[in-house]
Amino acid sequence: MTFSFTGLSAFPITPMHQDAPDEARFATLITRLVEAKVDSIGALGSTGSYAFLTRGEREKIARLAVSHAGTTPVLVSIGAINLRDTLLLAEDAQKAGAKALLLPPMSYFPLRDEEVFTLYETVSRHVSVPLVVYDTPGTTQFHFSDALMRRICQLPQVRSIKLPSGSPTAEEAAARMKRLLPALPESTSPGISGDPTAAGALMQGARIWFSEWGGLFPRLACQLTDAALAGQKEDVARIEAVFAPFWEMSARYGGSLRVIASAATIMGLAGPGALPRPLQGVSPQDAEKLATLISTHQPG
Amino acid sequence: MTFSFTGLSAFPITPMHQDAPDEARFATLITRLVEAKVDSIGALGSTGSYAFLTRGEREKIARLAVSHAGTTPVLVSIGAINLRDTLLLAEDAQKAGAKALLLPPMSYFPLRDEEVFTLYETVSRHVSVPLVVYDTPGTTQFHFSDALMRRICQLPQVRSIKLPSGSPTAEEAAARMKRLLPALPESTSPGISGDPTAAGALMQGARIWFSEWGGLFPRLACQLTDAALAGQKEDVARIEAVFAPFWEMSARYGGSLRVIASAATIMGLAGPGALPRPLQGVSPQDAEKLATLISTHQPG
């Protein structure tokens, strides 16, 4: 069965324990997502610390995700600095049972357009499951032009794109999506990341939300996805108000992972040392604030 | 004998062959540097593709560098996204015989000040050879404040800093160096990268030039270093004029590695496929231009 790229795709963290993935707690996070009935699970996304893990660790985590996901489709990120490694990771993820692969133009030196095209072309020739173009300029320093994105979407296997809905600004991202959507092939499902502006993008034509906080608060994220796709603006506003202080703290820490990992520790879903070093969690004051927010709203 | 951090530190590429390091050609590059009498060799810098290689490959390249360098000191970069891996790489490099370690705040998510300080503090406690603070905002997206740089330079083992001399602009970089230098501990040797503005920085108080093109044109780079450290402005200008078209092309390709690898292939010092994928070399027209420049100036 082909995966349809719609609804909520929840991206769990990969909790660490003494510098290695905490497999038991990761499995629990996957089970929570299945129980919340997310549409798909994105293992080893940016939020899942793919960039910090070895090939062996990534293979193990991909297998764990698939084995605990049941019938929920699992997407796996295959980003790596070296294209050679990306091809190996693609093989591992497919063997593990991934229903789709997310490919960011990860790099050490910001890549050039022709290099990025060749990257996607090479990978698309090597894989048999759908590919998602993972546009994440905040980590890759690469900015897709409209022309390049359209060209990549013509490649075999490319079935979805993950656009940042808040970058460089929400307005510019919305304008870009409006330009790109009519130009994409039928076969490409437009998706977005950027939690605080995701519901707005879903109401403007995006079909799948690749969500960071959805990996920890899947029930709330499912509600937001449903409300946005149904165009229920009041419900959207009400649910966004619950997420807002978490998103605000994420912005303050330069990204969600540090805050989500701290929240997961508070919720007992991750142990101490849940982040890969050198990343650090939030300050004691913010941890207290998070604890209050979590116990008030029970957003999980 | 403690390494003194002065003069020219030449950073060779790590030529690739069929997606793996070309060990024979790398050894030849090291031998050329020794013969040109560079003051030190920086193996596995950004230009040496450290970020593209596995731990095993990096260990092998570090050993090769040391074994072919004779009495010329070898510095090795230990950058990694995961601090756990950096500590392992530091161990490997020291066992291989590295006389100093270069540590960039490499990251996937741009790091925060406290994370970067803890990174350097942790590594400095684990190593017994000098550490160089590798400031490379173009690849790490991390910008050191003056206060943080001074704080890190107080750590044990930190003996040099590698400041980008052309970033964000040559003027701002020069002003920053002028501010930082008097505030550094005696034990810290100020160094610079950024080939086109390096000689100017050496004339303004920098003591060591970590050079990308010096890895391929070591004789010319030695001459430029000597002229700059002796304050011979006319010689500096004459030698810079030879380098200029190579630097101009590097800027056009968003960094030196792509152009240096292409030049190395033209010179027979690297085979085809010398760059780690997905990086690509220069266009056929630029390769022709490079070939003409090389045969005219014989800059190696």
Side-chain angles (χ1 to χ4, degrees):
Chain A
M1 198 186 63
T2 313
F3 174 55
S4 68
F5 294 104
T6 52
L8 175 67
S9 190
F11 279 60
I13 62 167
T14 306
M16 302 292 281
H17 177 66
Q18 293 179 349
D19 276 338
D22 186 335
E23 297 180 13
R25 286 202 168 94
F26 177 76
T28 304
L29 288 172
I30 298 295
T31 302
R32 283 179 85 240
L33 300 180
V34 172
E35 288 171 356
K37 298 191 169 41
V38 302
D39 297 292
S40 62
I41 294 169
L44 297 163
S46 297
T47 309
S49 298
Y50 79 81
F52 293 82
L53 304 180
T54 65
R55 179 182 173 195
E57 288 169 339
R58 289 167 75 166
E59 188 185 5
K60 202 152 194 186
I61 287 294
R63 288 187 181 279
L64 263 178
V66 172
S67 71
H68 286 77
T71 55
T72 309
V74 173
L75 290 61
V76 173
S77 162
I78 55 169
I81 291 175
N82 194 323
L83 171 50
R84 167 196 72 181
D85 299 331
T86 291
L87 294 174
L88 296 171
L89 290 160
E91 218 172 284
D92 294 346
Q94 288 178 99
K95 281 187 190 153
K99 288 283 181 292
L101 306 173
L102 284 113
L103 179 58
M106 192 189 177
S107 62
Y108 179 70
F109 303 103
L111 298 177
R112 309 183 78 226
D113 277 16
E114 212 42 47
E115 292 167 342
V116 169
F117 181 75
T118 305
L119 166 68
Y120 282 93
E121 190 189 36
T122 307
V123 174
S124 74
R125 273 191 283 110
H126 277 80
V127 300
S128 56
V129 300
L131 267 181
V132 183
V133 182
Y134 194 158
D135 180 2
T136 172
T139 58
T140 63
Q141 301 195 59
F142 184 77
H143 299 269
F144 287 89
S145 68
D146 290 4
L148 178 62
M149 187 59 95
R150 283 200 302 264
R151 200 171 153 218
I152 289 173
C153 287
Q154 306 289 343
L155 290 168
Q157 304 308 126
V158 174
R159 291 287 172 273
S160 183
I161 55 177
K162 175 176 175 294
L163 299 172
S165 67
S167 166
T169 65
E171 292 67 32
E172 287 173 81
R176 179 178 176 222
M177 199 176 82
K178 209 173 165 182
R179 282 197 315 270
L180 267 176
L181 256 54
L184 293 180
E186 275 284 321
S187 53
T188 309
S189 179
I192 34 95
S193 62
D195 287 357
T197 38
L202 288 174
M203 292 192 281
Q204 299 297 320
R207 295 184 56 212
I208 177 167
W209 172 24
F210 302 99
S211 174
E212 301 180 311
W213 276 97
L216 190 66
F217 298 163
R219 284 183 293 128
L220 198 65
C222 280
Q223 291 167 24
L224 184 53
T225 308
D226 292 345
L229 289 175
Q232 291 161 343
K233 288 189 182 177
E234 278 172 32
D235 286 343
V236 165
R238 184 179 47 77
I239 303 164
E240 283 186 334
V242 181
F243 270 121
F246 298 99
W247 292 338
E248 178 275 325
M249 198 182 290
S250 296
R252 214 156 23 84
Y253 279 87
S256 302
L257 175 54
R258 296 172 178 96
V259 186
I260 294 176
S262 297
T265 299
I266 290 165
M267 294 165 77
L269 295 166
L275 283 164
R277 291 190 291 167
L279 298 186
Q280 295 178 8
V282 304
S283 69
Q285 297 95 301
D286 282 325
E288 214 170 293
K289 197 173 162 185
L290 273 180
T292 307
L293 284 167
I294 291 165
S295 78
T296 307
H297 297 292
Q298 302 285 332
Chain B
M1 198 186 63
T2 312
F3 173 57
S4 68
F5 295 104
T6 51
L8 175 67
S9 190
F11 279 60
I13 61 167
T14 306
M16 302 293 281
H17 176 66
Q18 295 180 347
D19 277 338
D22 185 336
E23 296 179 13
R25 286 201 169 94
F26 178 76
T28 303
L29 287 172
I30 298 296
T31 302
R32 282 179 87 240
L33 300 180
V34 173
E35 288 170 356
K37 298 190 168 41
V38 302
D39 297 291
S40 62
I41 294 169
L44 297 164
S46 296
T47 308
S49 299
Y50 80 80
F52 292 82
L53 304 180
T54 64
R55 180 183 172 193
E57 287 168 340
R58 289 167 74 166
E59 189 186 5
K60 203 151 194 186
I61 287 294
R63 288 186 182 279
L64 262 178
V66 171
S67 71
H68 285 77
T71 55
T72 308
V74 173
L75 289 60
V76 173
S77 162
I78 56 169
I81 292 176
N82 194 321
L83 171 51
R84 167 195 72 182
D85 299 331
T86 290
L87 296 173
L88 296 171
L89 290 160
E91 220 172 281
D92 294 344
Q94 288 178 100
K95 281 187 190 154
K99 289 282 181 290
L101 307 173
L102 284 112
L103 179 57
M106 192 190 177
S107 63
Y108 179 70
F109 302 103
L111 297 177
R112 309 184 77 226
D113 277 16
E114 211 41 46
E115 292 167 343
V116 169
F117 181 76
T118 305
L119 165 68
Y120 283 92
E121 190 189 36
T122 307
V123 174
S124 74
R125 272 190 284 109
H126 278 79
V127 300
S128 56
V129 300
L131 266 181
V132 183
V133 182
Y134 195 158
D135 180 1
T136 172
T139 58
T140 63
Q141 301 195 58
F142 184 76
H143 299 268
F144 286 90
S145 68
D146 290 3
L148 178 62
M149 187 59 95
R150 283 199 302 266
R151 201 172 152 217
I152 289 173
C153 287
Q154 306 290 342
L155 289 169
Q157 304 308 127
V158 174
R159 291 290 173 270
S160 183
I161 56 177
K162 176 176 173 295
L163 299 173
S165 67
S167 165
T169 66
E171 292 69 30
E172 286 173 81
R176 180 179 176 219
M177 200 177 81
K178 208 173 166 183
R179 281 196 317 269
L180 267 175
L181 255 54
L184 294 180
E186 275 285 322
S187 53
T188 308
S189 179
I192 34 97
S193 62
D195 287 356
T197 38
L202 288 173
M203 290 191 282
Q204 298 297 319
R207 296 185 55 213
I208 177 167
W209 172 24
F210 302 99
S211 175
E212 301 178 312
W213 277 98
L216 190 66
F217 298 162
R219 283 183 293 128
L220 197 66
C222 278
Q223 290 167 23
L224 184 54
T225 308
D226 292 346
L229 288 175
Q232 290 161 342
K233 287 190 184 178
E234 278 171 33
D235 287 342
V236 165
R238 183 180 47 76
I239 304 163
E240 284 186 334
V242 181
F243 270 121
F246 297 98
W247 292 339
E248 178 276 325
M249 199 182 290
S250 295
R252 215 157 22 86
Y253 278 88
S256 302
L257 175 54
R258 295 172 179 97
V259 185
I260 294 175
S262 297
T265 300
I266 290 165
M267 295 166 76
L269 294 166
L275 283 163
R277 293 190 290 166
L279 298 187
Q280 296 177 9
V282 304
S283 69
Q285 296 95 302
D286 282 325
E288 214 170 293
K289 196 172 163 186
L290 273 180
T292 307
L293 284 167
I294 290 165
S295 76
T296 307
H297 297 293
Q298 301 285 333

